[in-house]
Amino acid sequence: MSNARTANFSRRGLLAAGGALGLGAFLAACGDGDSESSGSDSTASAKASGPWSFKDDRGTTVKLDEVPTKIVAFVGVAAALYDYGIDVKGVFGPTTLKNGKADVQAGDMDVSKLTVFGNVWDQFNVEKYAAFAPQVLLTTTFDSAGTLWYVPEASKDKIAKLAPSAAISVYDRQLTAPLQRMWELAESLGADMTAAKVTDAKKRFEAASERLRKAAKAKPDVRVLAGSAAQDVFYVSGTNLSVDLEYFKALGVNFVEPSEAAKKATGGWFETLSWENVDKYPADIIMMDDRSATIQPADITEATWKQLPAVKAGQVIARSPEPILSYDKCVPMVENLAKAIESAKKVG
């Protein structure tokens, strides 16, 4: 979901049921996970040298005298760059769980070796960030205004003075667009985009997408609902603004859509339902938000949830509203939905 220059909601007041606004605004987040590293540089490929510039999706061009090695990034961006061989040591956003293990948004990174400037929504240690001496801050943006994702409103000006920033847009476009932009960012930082691991991942993504297209075409009547669970309410996501859902819809997936009136109240992102009304929209498959700030399906105790036909049939799968934007990490998302549709029974 947009971080909230939409409708009459504050940036803190919109929730990521449909797109990606951190549920930490509404739910107890999972610890501050203030992991420390020695503050060593991020290390890009040895191929990267000389001046560096990158034009981001806000239309801003960042120019530096050298390819940055002291990079600080939103954790999901850092995880994507890691898959391309760019080692980012400084991160912000959901990185560690209360038990110290990696958050789902940290991907394959070793979180024990990261310097974490803020692990939850609205948390960013500016003094620590300044001491790190960053050369550039990299994140995403979930609105048309280009607001930097997970950079707190209260400290954004102080943060901006310490290093330039670049943002990849994940707002109102299909998944393939930000995937390509992350590819370009990684390449600019010195990643070897001809490496077998990289090219194979892209081929696997393309194959998975074709599999999903065929599955959706073979079973056009299978209805898929994208949901997110909180303690008191259930959120049904619309497809028009989220990169994953827009892409899946373009491949032919038949999504349940909230009413237009309900979506209008949240800037177009989602509809809020009470648990008593969680059965408002019949569905054959339910995709559930997998982020740590949400309640996961196994932990939902509401009787109305357990009685949903898709739940009783075991046709509930995970969804990543804030996908790690590397082809490697997006392959399972596409494959899991394709498999679910292929094997789905009409139950809704």
Side-chain angles (χ1 to χ4, degrees), residues 271-308:
E271 178 176 356
T272 305
L273 300 177
S274 67
W275 283 106
E276 289 75 16
N277 294 318
V278 73
D279 61 351
K280 179 178 179 179
Y281 298 107
D284 304 298
I285 297 171
I286 301 176
M287 301 174 67
M288 288 295 290
D289 188 337
D290 69 355
R291 290 170 297 175
S292 56
T294 67
I295 300 176
Q296 296 306 299
D299 299 319
I300 299 175
T301 59
E302 300 291 339
T304 48
W305 163 262
K306 294 180 179 180
Q307 291 303 310
L308 292 177

mmCIF file of all heavy atoms in Angstrom, residues 271-308:
data_model
loop_
_atom_site.group_PDB
_atom_site.id
_atom_site.type_symbol
_atom_site.label_atom_id
_atom_site.label_comp_id
_atom_site.label_asym_id
_atom_site.label_seq_id
_atom_site.Cartn_x
_atom_site.Cartn_y
_atom_site.Cartn_z
ATOM 1 N N GLU A 271 -9.643 -3.502 1.424
ATOM 2 C CA GLU A 271 -10.871 -3.359 2.197
ATOM 3 C C GLU A 271 -10.656 -4.014 3.560
ATOM 4 O O GLU A 271 -10.040 -5.071 3.668
ATOM 5 C CB GLU A 271 -12.043 -4.033 1.487
ATOM 6 C CG GLU A 271 -13.360 -3.949 2.271
ATOM 7 C CD GLU A 271 -14.539 -4.535 1.516
ATOM 8 O OE1 GLU A 271 -14.362 -4.942 0.352
ATOM 9 O OE2 GLU A 271 -15.644 -4.587 2.113
ATOM 10 N N THR A 272 -11.164 -3.370 4.592
ATOM 11 C CA THR A 272 -11.056 -3.892 5.951
ATOM 12 C C THR A 272 -12.337 -4.615 6.330
ATOM 13 O O THR A 272 -13.427 -4.062 6.223
ATOM 14 C CB THR A 272 -10.810 -2.743 6.948
ATOM 15 O OG1 THR A 272 -9.662 -2.004 6.550
ATOM 16 C CG2 THR A 272 -10.593 -3.293 8.349
ATOM 17 N N LEU A 273 -12.197 -5.856 6.769
ATOM 18 C CA LEU A 273 -13.342 -6.653 7.199
ATOM 19 C C LEU A 273 -13.189 -7.049 8.662
ATOM 20 O O LEU A 273 -12.073 -7.291 9.129
ATOM 21 C CB LEU A 273 -13.451 -7.933 6.360
ATOM 22 C CG LEU A 273 -13.636 -7.793 4.852
ATOM 23 C CD1 LEU A 273 -13.645 -9.180 4.210
ATOM 24 C CD2 LEU A 273 -14.915 -7.041 4.520
ATOM 25 N N SER A 274 -14.302 -7.137 9.357
ATOM 26 C CA SER A 274 -14.272 -7.730 10.695
ATOM 27 C C SER A 274 -14.124 -9.229 10.510
ATOM 28 O O SER A 274 -14.441 -9.788 9.457
ATOM 29 C CB SER A 274 -15.567 -7.414 11.447
ATOM 30 O OG SER A 274 -16.661 -8.080 10.822
ATOM 31 N N TRP A 275 -13.668 -9.914 11.547
ATOM 32 C CA TRP A 275 -13.536 -11.364 11.441
ATOM 33 C C TRP A 275 -14.900 -12.029 11.261
ATOM 34 O O TRP A 275 -15.002 -13.108 10.669
ATOM 35 C CB TRP A 275 -12.822 -11.923 12.665
ATOM 36 C CG TRP A 275 -11.337 -11.689 12.595
ATOM 37 C CD1 TRP A 275 -10.602 -10.795 13.308
ATOM 38 C CD2 TRP A 275 -10.412 -12.362 11.739
ATOM 39 N NE1 TRP A 275 -9.274 -10.863 12.951
ATOM 40 C CE2 TRP A 275 -9.128 -11.828 11.991
ATOM 41 C CE3 TRP A 275 -10.533 -13.372 10.783
ATOM 42 C CZ2 TRP A 275 -7.988 -12.260 11.318
ATOM 43 C CZ3 TRP A 275 -9.402 -13.818 10.107
ATOM 44 C CH2 TRP A 275 -8.147 -13.259 10.381
ATOM 45 N N GLU A 276 -15.954 -11.386 11.730
ATOM 46 C CA GLU A 276 -17.300 -11.943 11.540
ATOM 47 C C GLU A 276 -17.689 -11.949 10.067
ATOM 48 O O GLU A 276 -18.496 -12.776 9.639
ATOM 49 C CB GLU A 276 -18.326 -11.135 12.344
ATOM 50 C CG GLU A 276 -18.245 -11.330 13.853
ATOM 51 C CD GLU A 276 -17.062 -10.606 14.486
ATOM 52 O OE1 GLU A 276 -16.471 -9.708 13.824
ATOM 53 O OE2 GLU A 276 -16.722 -10.930 15.638
ATOM 54 N N ASN A 277 -17.101 -11.015 9.308
ATOM 55 C CA ASN A 277 -17.456 -10.892 7.890
ATOM 56 C C ASN A 277 -16.343 -11.355 6.955
ATOM 57 O O ASN A 277 -16.306 -10.987 5.784
ATOM 58 C CB ASN A 277 -17.793 -9.425 7.572
ATOM 59 C CG ASN A 277 -19.039 -8.965 8.288
ATOM 60 O OD1 ASN A 277 -20.030 -9.701 8.364
ATOM 61 N ND2 ASN A 277 -19.006 -7.761 8.833
ATOM 62 N N VAL A 278 -15.450 -12.186 7.477
ATOM 63 C CA VAL A 278 -14.303 -12.607 6.680
ATOM 64 C C VAL A 278 -14.711 -13.468 5.480
ATOM 65 O O VAL A 278 -13.938 -13.650 4.534
ATOM 66 C CB VAL A 278 -13.288 -13.360 7.574
ATOM 67 C CG1 VAL A 278 -13.800 -14.739 7.943
ATOM 68 C CG2 VAL A 278 -11.923 -13.434 6.916
ATOM 69 N N ASP A 279 -15.952 -13.956 5.499
ATOM 70 C CA ASP A 279 -16.443 -14.777 4.389
ATOM 71 C C ASP A 279 -17.184 -13.958 3.334
ATOM 72 O O ASP A 279 -17.897 -14.516 2.493
ATOM 73 C CB ASP A 279 -17.353 -15.882 4.919
ATOM 74 C CG ASP A 279 -18.580 -15.350 5.651
ATOM 75 O OD1 ASP A 279 -18.649 -14.117 5.899
ATOM 76 O OD2 ASP A 279 -19.464 -16.154 5.999
ATOM 77 N N LYS A 280 -17.011 -12.655 3.347
ATOM 78 C CA LYS A 280 -17.740 -11.781 2.420
ATOM 79 C C LYS A 280 -17.473 -12.125 0.970
ATOM 80 O O LYS A 280 -18.377 -12.076 0.126
ATOM 81 C CB LYS A 280 -17.363 -10.317 2.684
ATOM 82 C CG LYS A 280 -18.049 -9.330 1.742
ATOM 83 C CD LYS A 280 -17.682 -7.889 2.078
ATOM 84 C CE LYS A 280 -18.350 -6.911 1.114
ATOM 85 N NZ LYS A 280 -18.030 -5.492 1.444
ATOM 86 N N TYR A 281 -16.223 -12.480 0.649
ATOM 87 C CA TYR A 281 -15.852 -12.755 -0.728
ATOM 88 C C TYR A 281 -15.469 -14.225 -0.901
ATOM 89 O O TYR A 281 -14.448 -14.656 -0.366
ATOM 90 C CB TYR A 281 -14.674 -11.880 -1.160
ATOM 91 C CG TYR A 281 -14.979 -10.397 -1.127
ATOM 92 C CD1 TYR A 281 -14.444 -9.578 -0.138
ATOM 93 C CD2 TYR A 281 -15.795 -9.821 -2.092
ATOM 94 C CE1 TYR A 281 -14.716 -8.214 -0.116
ATOM 95 C CE2 TYR A 281 -16.076 -8.460 -2.075
ATOM 96 C CZ TYR A 281 -15.527 -7.662 -1.082
ATOM 97 O OH TYR A 281 -15.809 -6.315 -1.063
ATOM 98 N N PRO A 282 -16.266 -15.001 -1.616
ATOM 99 C CA PRO A 282 -15.927 -16.405 -1.850
ATOM 100 C C PRO A 282 -14.605 -16.523 -2.609
ATOM 101 O O PRO A 282 -14.336 -15.755 -3.537
ATOM 102 C CB PRO A 282 -17.096 -16.911 -2.706
ATOM 103 C CG PRO A 282 -18.219 -15.960 -2.436
ATOM 104 C CD PRO A 282 -17.563 -14.629 -2.231
ATOM 105 N N ALA A 283 -13.779 -17.464 -2.190
ATOM 106 C CA ALA A 283 -12.484 -17.667 -2.838
ATOM 107 C C ALA A 283 -12.098 -19.130 -2.792
ATOM 108 O O ALA A 283 -12.457 -19.858 -1.859
ATOM 109 C CB ALA A 283 -11.419 -16.822 -2.149
ATOM 110 N N ASP A 284 -11.364 -19.561 -3.802
ATOM 111 C CA ASP A 284 -10.881 -20.939 -3.864
ATOM 112 C C ASP A 284 -9.460 -21.066 -3.329
ATOM 113 O O ASP A 284 -9.072 -22.122 -2.835
ATOM 114 C CB ASP A 284 -10.932 -21.433 -5.309
ATOM 115 C CG ASP A 284 -12.326 -21.311 -5.897
ATOM 116 O OD1 ASP A 284 -13.245 -21.963 -5.374
ATOM 117 O OD2 ASP A 284 -12.507 -20.542 -6.866
ATOM 118 N N ILE A 285 -8.691 -20.005 -3.462
ATOM 119 C CA ILE A 285 -7.322 -19.941 -2.953
ATOM 120 C C ILE A 285 -7.165 -18.632 -2.194
ATOM 121 O O ILE A 285 -7.644 -17.586 -2.652
ATOM 122 C CB ILE A 285 -6.281 -19.996 -4.095
ATOM 123 C CG1 ILE A 285 -6.363 -21.327 -4.838
ATOM 124 C CG2 ILE A 285 -4.860 -19.782 -3.561
ATOM 125 C CD1 ILE A 285 -5.518 -21.341 -6.111
ATOM 126 N N ILE A 286 -6.506 -18.673 -1.047
ATOM 127 C CA ILE A 286 -6.210 -17.454 -0.299
ATOM 128 C C ILE A 286 -4.697 -17.297 -0.211
ATOM 129 O O ILE A 286 -3.988 -18.212 0.230
ATOM 130 C CB ILE A 286 -6.824 -17.481 1.121
ATOM 131 C CG1 ILE A 286 -8.338 -17.653 1.038
ATOM 132 C CG2 ILE A 286 -6.469 -16.197 1.871
ATOM 133 C CD1 ILE A 286 -9.014 -17.788 2.393
ATOM 134 N N MET A 287 -4.206 -16.148 -0.647
ATOM 135 C CA MET A 287 -2.793 -15.805 -0.520
ATOM 136 C C MET A 287 -2.645 -14.901 0.690
ATOM 137 O O MET A 287 -3.235 -13.825 0.740
ATOM 138 C CB MET A 287 -2.291 -15.048 -1.767
ATOM 139 C CG MET A 287 -2.425 -15.780 -3.071
ATOM 140 S SD MET A 287 -1.968 -14.708 -4.473
ATOM 141 C CE MET A 287 -0.207 -14.474 -4.180
ATOM 142 N N MET A 288 -1.838 -15.329 1.675
ATOM 143 C CA MET A 288 -1.736 -14.580 2.921
ATOM 144 C C MET A 288 -0.383 -13.895 3.079
ATOM 145 O O MET A 288 0.673 -14.501 2.880
ATOM 146 C CB MET A 288 -1.985 -15.508 4.103
ATOM 147 C CG MET A 288 -3.442 -15.935 4.225
ATOM 148 S SD MET A 288 -4.561 -14.557 4.608
ATOM 149 C CE MET A 288 -4.074 -14.213 6.298
ATOM 150 N N ASP A 289 -0.430 -12.640 3.441
ATOM 151 C CA ASP A 289 0.734 -11.799 3.712
ATOM 152 C C ASP A 289 1.716 -12.540 4.629
ATOM 153 O O ASP A 289 1.372 -12.940 5.735
ATOM 154 C CB ASP A 289 0.229 -10.518 4.388
ATOM 155 C CG ASP A 289 1.275 -9.447 4.561
ATOM 156 O OD1 ASP A 289 2.477 -9.774 4.587
ATOM 157 O OD2 ASP A 289 0.882 -8.268 4.687
ATOM 158 N N ASP A 290 2.960 -12.704 4.163
ATOM 159 C CA ASP A 290 3.932 -13.495 4.934
ATOM 160 C C ASP A 290 4.852 -12.662 5.806
ATOM 161 O O ASP A 290 5.765 -13.197 6.442
ATOM 162 C CB ASP A 290 4.775 -14.371 3.988
ATOM 163 C CG ASP A 290 5.718 -13.555 3.111
ATOM 164 O OD1 ASP A 290 5.679 -12.303 3.134
ATOM 165 O OD2 ASP A 290 6.517 -14.192 2.367
ATOM 166 N N ARG A 291 4.639 -11.354 5.887
ATOM 167 C CA ARG A 291 5.552 -10.518 6.661
ATOM 168 C C ARG A 291 5.379 -10.717 8.165
ATOM 169 O O ARG A 291 4.301 -11.059 8.639
ATOM 170 C CB ARG A 291 5.365 -9.047 6.275
ATOM 171 C CG ARG A 291 5.872 -8.757 4.869
ATOM 172 C CD ARG A 291 5.462 -7.376 4.395
ATOM 173 N NE ARG A 291 4.015 -7.255 4.314
ATOM 174 C CZ ARG A 291 3.393 -6.131 4.012
ATOM 175 N NH1 ARG A 291 4.095 -5.036 3.771
ATOM 176 N NH2 ARG A 291 2.080 -6.091 3.948
ATOM 177 N N SER A 292 6.451 -10.502 8.892
ATOM 178 C CA SER A 292 6.477 -10.841 10.312
ATOM 179 C C SER A 292 5.538 -9.984 11.158
ATOM 180 O O SER A 292 5.188 -10.370 12.278
ATOM 181 C CB SER A 292 7.900 -10.723 10.853
ATOM 182 O OG SER A 292 8.431 -9.430 10.619
ATOM 183 N N ALA A 293 5.119 -8.842 10.661
ATOM 184 C CA ALA A 293 4.211 -7.987 11.433
ATOM 185 C C ALA A 293 2.764 -8.432 11.315
ATOM 186 O O ALA A 293 1.892 -7.889 11.982
ATOM 187 C CB ALA A 293 4.347 -6.535 10.982
ATOM 188 N N THR A 294 2.494 -9.410 10.451
ATOM 189 C CA THR A 294 1.127 -9.902 10.287
ATOM 190 C C THR A 294 0.951 -11.228 11.018
ATOM 191 O O THR A 294 1.917 -11.916 11.341
ATOM 192 C CB THR A 294 0.793 -10.116 8.799
ATOM 193 O OG1 THR A 294 1.592 -11.195 8.277
ATOM 194 C CG2 THR A 294 1.054 -8.854 8.005
ATOM 195 N N ILE A 295 -0.289 -11.583 11.270
ATOM 196 C CA ILE A 295 -0.587 -12.872 11.877
ATOM 197 C C ILE A 295 -0.590 -13.923 10.777
ATOM 198 O O ILE A 295 -1.271 -13.774 9.755
ATOM 199 C CB ILE A 295 -1.943 -12.845 12.606
ATOM 200 C CG1 ILE A 295 -1.925 -11.782 13.714
ATOM 201 C CG2 ILE A 295 -2.263 -14.219 13.191
ATOM 202 C CD1 ILE A 295 -3.258 -11.621 14.414
ATOM 203 N N GLN A 296 0.151 -14.979 10.968
ATOM 204 C CA GLN A 296 0.263 -16.021 9.955
ATOM 205 C C GLN A 296 -0.891 -17.021 10.075
ATOM 206 O O GLN A 296 -1.468 -17.200 11.160
ATOM 207 C CB GLN A 296 1.606 -16.723 10.080
ATOM 208 C CG GLN A 296 2.796 -15.801 9.806
ATOM 209 C CD GLN A 296 2.679 -15.096 8.463
ATOM 210 O OE1 GLN A 296 2.638 -15.742 7.409
ATOM 211 N NE2 GLN A 296 2.611 -13.764 8.489
ATOM 212 N N PRO A 297 -1.259 -17.672 8.979
ATOM 213 C CA PRO A 297 -2.436 -18.559 8.974
ATOM 214 C C PRO A 297 -2.474 -19.575 10.104
ATOM 215 O O PRO A 297 -3.537 -19.806 10.698
ATOM 216 C CB PRO A 297 -2.325 -19.241 7.605
ATOM 217 C CG PRO A 297 -1.660 -18.217 6.743
ATOM 218 C CD PRO A 297 -0.662 -17.547 7.633
ATOM 219 N N ALA A 298 -1.340 -20.172 10.421
ATOM 220 C CA ALA A 298 -1.312 -21.193 11.472
ATOM 221 C C ALA A 298 -1.659 -20.629 12.843
ATOM 222 O O ALA A 298 -2.043 -21.381 13.756
ATOM 223 C CB ALA A 298 0.064 -21.855 11.520
ATOM 224 N N ASP A 299 -1.541 -19.311 12.994
ATOM 225 C CA ASP A 299 -1.778 -18.674 14.289
ATOM 226 C C ASP A 299 -3.135 -17.987 14.375
ATOM 227 O O ASP A 299 -3.458 -17.376 15.398
ATOM 228 C CB ASP A 299 -0.672 -17.661 14.580
ATOM 229 C CG ASP A 299 0.707 -18.309 14.650
ATOM 230 O OD1 ASP A 299 0.796 -19.405 15.237
ATOM 231 O OD2 ASP A 299 1.669 -17.725 14.118
ATOM 232 N N ILE A 300 -3.929 -18.065 13.320
ATOM 233 C CA ILE A 300 -5.261 -17.458 13.341
ATOM 234 C C ILE A 300 -6.219 -18.386 14.072
ATOM 235 O O ILE A 300 -6.375 -19.551 13.708
ATOM 236 C CB ILE A 300 -5.771 -17.187 11.918
ATOM 237 C CG1 ILE A 300 -4.841 -16.207 11.183
ATOM 238 C CG2 ILE A 300 -7.191 -16.612 11.959
ATOM 239 C CD1 ILE A 300 -5.202 -15.989 9.730
ATOM 240 N N THR A 301 -6.845 -17.871 15.114
ATOM 241 C CA THR A 301 -7.730 -18.692 15.940
ATOM 242 C C THR A 301 -9.205 -18.428 15.689
ATOM 243 O O THR A 301 -10.063 -19.135 16.234
ATOM 244 C CB THR A 301 -7.442 -18.448 17.430
ATOM 245 O OG1 THR A 301 -7.645 -17.050 17.721
ATOM 246 C CG2 THR A 301 -6.001 -18.821 17.779
ATOM 247 N N GLU A 302 -9.523 -17.446 14.874
ATOM 248 C CA GLU A 302 -10.921 -17.092 14.629
ATOM 249 C C GLU A 302 -11.681 -18.247 13.975
ATOM 250 O O GLU A 302 -11.247 -18.805 12.963
ATOM 251 C CB GLU A 302 -11.003 -15.855 13.723
ATOM 252 C CG GLU A 302 -10.341 -14.624 14.281
ATOM 253 C CD GLU A 302 -11.083 -14.058 15.477
ATOM 254 O OE1 GLU A 302 -12.284 -14.360 15.634
ATOM 255 O OE2 GLU A 302 -10.459 -13.304 16.253
ATOM 256 N N ALA A 303 -12.821 -18.582 14.537
ATOM 257 C CA ALA A 303 -13.626 -19.692 14.021
ATOM 258 C C ALA A 303 -14.107 -19.426 12.597
ATOM 259 O O ALA A 303 -14.192 -20.345 11.777
ATOM 260 C CB ALA A 303 -14.818 -19.940 14.947
ATOM 261 N N THR A 304 -14.408 -18.163 12.307
ATOM 262 C CA THR A 304 -14.895 -17.825 10.966
ATOM 263 C C THR A 304 -13.820 -18.070 9.914
ATOM 264 O O THR A 304 -14.130 -18.449 8.779
ATOM 265 C CB THR A 304 -15.345 -16.363 10.921
ATOM 266 O OG1 THR A 304 -14.315 -15.530 11.513
ATOM 267 C CG2 THR A 304 -16.648 -16.156 11.685
ATOM 268 N N TRP A 305 -12.569 -17.852 10.288
ATOM 269 C CA TRP A 305 -11.455 -18.143 9.372
ATOM 270 C C TRP A 305 -11.368 -19.639 9.109
ATOM 271 O O TRP A 305 -11.240 -20.085 7.960
ATOM 272 C CB TRP A 305 -10.152 -17.620 9.951
ATOM 273 C CG TRP A 305 -8.905 -18.200 9.324
ATOM 274 C CD1 TRP A 305 -8.151 -19.223 9.818
ATOM 275 C CD2 TRP A 305 -8.285 -17.790 8.105
ATOM 276 N NE1 TRP A 305 -7.086 -19.490 8.976
ATOM 277 C CE2 TRP A 305 -7.149 -18.615 7.913
ATOM 278 C CE3 TRP A 305 -8.573 -16.811 7.158
ATOM 279 C CZ2 TRP A 305 -6.309 -18.502 6.809
ATOM 280 C CZ3 TRP A 305 -7.731 -16.690 6.055
ATOM 281 C CH2 TRP A 305 -6.611 -17.524 5.886
ATOM 282 N N LYS A 306 -11.436 -20.409 10.165
ATOM 283 C CA LYS A 306 -11.279 -21.860 10.034
ATOM 284 C C LYS A 306 -12.399 -22.499 9.227
ATOM 285 O O LYS A 306 -12.234 -23.597 8.686
ATOM 286 C CB LYS A 306 -11.203 -22.498 11.428
ATOM 287 C CG LYS A 306 -9.957 -22.096 12.206
ATOM 288 C CD LYS A 306 -9.918 -22.751 13.577
ATOM 289 C CE LYS A 306 -8.660 -22.373 14.336
ATOM 290 N NZ LYS A 306 -8.597 -23.008 15.684
ATOM 291 N N GLN A 307 -13.529 -21.797 9.130
ATOM 292 C CA GLN A 307 -14.655 -22.338 8.371
ATOM 293 C C GLN A 307 -14.643 -21.936 6.895
ATOM 294 O O GLN A 307 -15.476 -22.421 6.123
ATOM 295 C CB GLN A 307 -15.982 -21.893 9.009
ATOM 296 C CG GLN A 307 -16.250 -22.526 10.359
ATOM 297 C CD GLN A 307 -16.250 -24.047 10.298
ATOM 298 O OE1 GLN A 307 -16.911 -24.643 9.444
ATOM 299 N NE2 GLN A 307 -15.520 -24.688 11.201
ATOM 300 N N LEU A 308 -13.722 -21.102 6.505
ATOM 301 C CA LEU A 308 -13.663 -20.711 5.099
ATOM 302 C C LEU A 308 -13.351 -21.928 4.233
ATOM 303 O O LEU A 308 -12.474 -22.735 4.568
ATOM 304 C CB LEU A 308 -12.590 -19.646 4.883
ATOM 305 C CG LEU A 308 -12.841 -18.272 5.502
ATOM 306 C CD1 LEU A 308 -11.640 -17.348 5.252
ATOM 307 C CD2 LEU A 308 -14.102 -17.645 4.922
#
